[in-house]
Amino acid sequence: MNYDVIVLGSGPGGYVTAIRASQLGFKVAIIEKENLGGVCLNWGCIPTKALIKSAQVFEYIQHAKEYGINVTEASADFNAVIKRSRDVADGMSKGVQFSMKKNKIDIIDGFGKVKPGKKVEVTAADGKVSSLEADHIIIATGARSRELPNLPQDGKKVIGYRQAMTLAEQPKKLIVVGSGAIGVEFAHFYNAMGTEVTIVEFMPNVVPVEDEDISKQFERSLKKAGINVMTNSSVERIDTSGNGVKAFVKTAKGEEVLEAEAPFASPLVLPRQRAIRKIRSLFFAEYFRISRRFLRQLQLSRNLQSARLGRLLHRRCCLLRHLGSAKPIGANIIPQLI
């Protein structure tokens, strides 16, 4: 089937671009291999904020007396909190689906690969392969997580972000490896729920990509909340042979052994390039130089400047301009730009 525009990926960049293109009169299809809304809406920003909101409400109740309100007893239902988070994500994903239908955008379920000749090959869940063509193809595949080589995840004793959002039981002890945005969010949530949390960070400061003064103040806040923070430390190996997990942590003072029910390996975020893994950075530059004129047609930065998603897309457009310059740019910087 032929389209004016095919958008590969239905995250915040992809589905908003598809909507705007349809509003401008283009025939649009969007390809998604899992859930509409992408990782951000289903397994990232949205469900984690729902968890943090539940933790915040629980903390307010625990300190209600400071606000002049007497609460005799309060307890958190961990499974109910997890369910609410998933319900919030599912509801928003259905909202994206409604927006697609409202704007007459074809939803193609499957895994897409860009092929020569302005074609996209789509492999459905049942293995059926179909081919689509479009005058313009927009790649909005976002990012993926990469496992740490010394912390292979089994989904039970060593978990990633998806398992951390859907655990059947609340762990008594949790080790969070890495103190980036994802790591500290989960550390805060589980600590607020009553789990004993330890953060292990290789760098001298937590949230190391932030300003040093912010990092230091944030570390004080984490410790005040009861979270054990270990900076300048690294998990060298783990032992999962027993009921729980032992993490052997290298510190400035020597090796220390931590025990927990489920270490959480905070993921490294990399650009998702499986669909275009054979395309080099130079091809990116040439491809987006061709598509840049079309993106200007969408007027994303002008029409959506006031919206948060519009700002995100504006940054993507800035990235495309850079990719269209004479000097190709490494795709490893994409997650930080968006």
Side-chain angles (χ1 to χ4, degrees):
M1 186 175 291
N2 295 330
Y3 292 93
D4 297 320
V5 182
I6 291 177
V7 181
L8 196 61
S10 70
Y15 81 78
V16 177
T17 302
I19 290 173
R20 187 59 185 146
S22 178
Q23 290 173 345
L24 291 172
F26 294 100
K27 183 181 180 182
V28 183
I30 191 165
I31 301 171
E32 174 56 52
K33 69 171 185 176
E34 194 171 1
N35 304 109
L36 288 174
V39 171
C40 176
L41 193 151
N42 293 281
W43 295 101
C45 318
I46 301 304
T48 54
K49 300 308 175 293
L51 293 175
I52 289 174
K53 184 61 180 181
S54 294
Q56 181 187 42
V57 172
F58 188 43
E59 286 183 327
Y60 273 138
I61 294 173
Q62 289 177 314
H63 297 87
K65 192 172 182 180
E66 299 175 12
Y67 297 89
I69 301 172
N70 294 320
V71 178
T72 55
E73 187 177 355
S75 61
D77 186 336
F78 182 77
N79 290 331
V81 170
I82 295 295
K83 183 179 182 303
R84 175 184 179 272
S85 170
R86 301 313 311 155
D87 288 344
V88 169
D90 292 343
M92 295 196 70
S93 181
K94 291 177 182 177
V96 174
Q97 184 176 16
F98 173 79
S99 296
M100 296 297 100
K101 291 181 179 179
K102 179 182 177 181
N103 289 278
K104 299 179 180 179
I105 298 168
D106 289 347
I107 302 170
I108 312 297
D109 296 322
F111 184 83
K113 292 182 181 180
V114 177
K115 294 290 185 178
K118 296 184 179 181
K119 295 181 180 180
V120 178
E121 181 184 274
V122 181
T123 304
D126 59 3
K128 184 180 179 181
V129 178
S130 59
S131 182
L132 306 175
E133 295 184 22
D135 295 330
H136 305 280
I137 301 171
I138 297 179
I139 301 172
T141 49
R144 60 178 176 85
S145 66
R146 184 180 70 180
E147 294 184 16
L148 298 172
N150 58 332
L151 286 174
Q153 298 175 17
D154 58 11
K156 296 178 180 179
K157 290 189 175 182
V158 183
I159 62 175
Y161 69 98
R162 292 202 180 200
Q163 292 83 20
M165 276 188 271
T166 56
L167 286 178
E169 295 182 5
Q170 179 181 349
K172 294 180 180 179
K173 292 184 179 180
L174 182 70
I175 302 170
V176 177
V177 183
S179 68
I182 298 173
V184 294
E185 278 189 338
F186 281 107
H188 166 67
F189 166 70
Y190 277 98
N191 175 71
M193 291 291 103
T195 297
E196 183 181 328
V197 178
T198 299
I199 295 176
V200 180
E201 171 56 52
F202 179 79
M203 300 297 286
N205 302 310
V206 296
V207 286
V209 298
E210 304 299 334
D211 182 84
E212 185 176 346
D213 291 337
I214 294 175
S215 296
K216 289 180 178 179
Q217 179 57 48
F218 191 59
E219 183 175 337
R220 287 192 287 267
S221 299
L222 292 172
K223 290 180 177 178
K224 185 178 180 181
I227 298 174
N228 181 29
V229 179
M230 301 175 66
T231 53
N232 287 311
S233 304
S234 62
V235 177
E236 298 296 305
R237 58 191 177 92
I238 57 173
D239 180 6
T240 60
S241 59
N243 293 328
V245 178
K246 291 183 179 179
F248 297 84
V249 182
K250 181 181 178 182
T251 68
K253 297 179 180 179
E255 188 176 74
E256 186 173 339
V257 180
L258 302 177
E259 295 187 12
E261 294 178 46
F264 165 63
S266 182
L268 302 172
V269 179
L270 298 173
R272 189 186 299 275
Q273 291 179 290
R274 279 190 62 195
I276 46 176
R277 58 181 177 270
K278 295 183 180 179
I279 303 174
R280 303 301 179 186
S281 60
L282 182 61
F283 180 86
F284 268 96
E286 293 298 327
Y287 186 84
F288 286 119
R289 188 174 8 246
I290 296 170
S291 297
R292 187 173 54 175
R293 181 183 300 176
F294 170 71
L295 287 173
R296 282 201 298 266
Q297 276 186 296
L298 299 187
Q299 299 178 343
L300 295 175
S301 60
R302 184 186 304 174
N303 294 313
L304 300 172
Q305 190 71 36
S306 61
R308 177 178 177 273
L309 292 176
R311 291 196 296 271
L312 290 175
L313 287 168
H314 176 65
R315 293 171 191 165
R316 287 175 184 256
C317 289
C318 291
L319 174 62
L320 298 186
R321 294 191 193 102
H322 198 124
L323 285 170
S325 66
K327 296 181 180 180
I329 188 170
N332 61 311
I333 56 87
I334 293 176
Q336 289 195 2
L337 284 182
I338 61 174

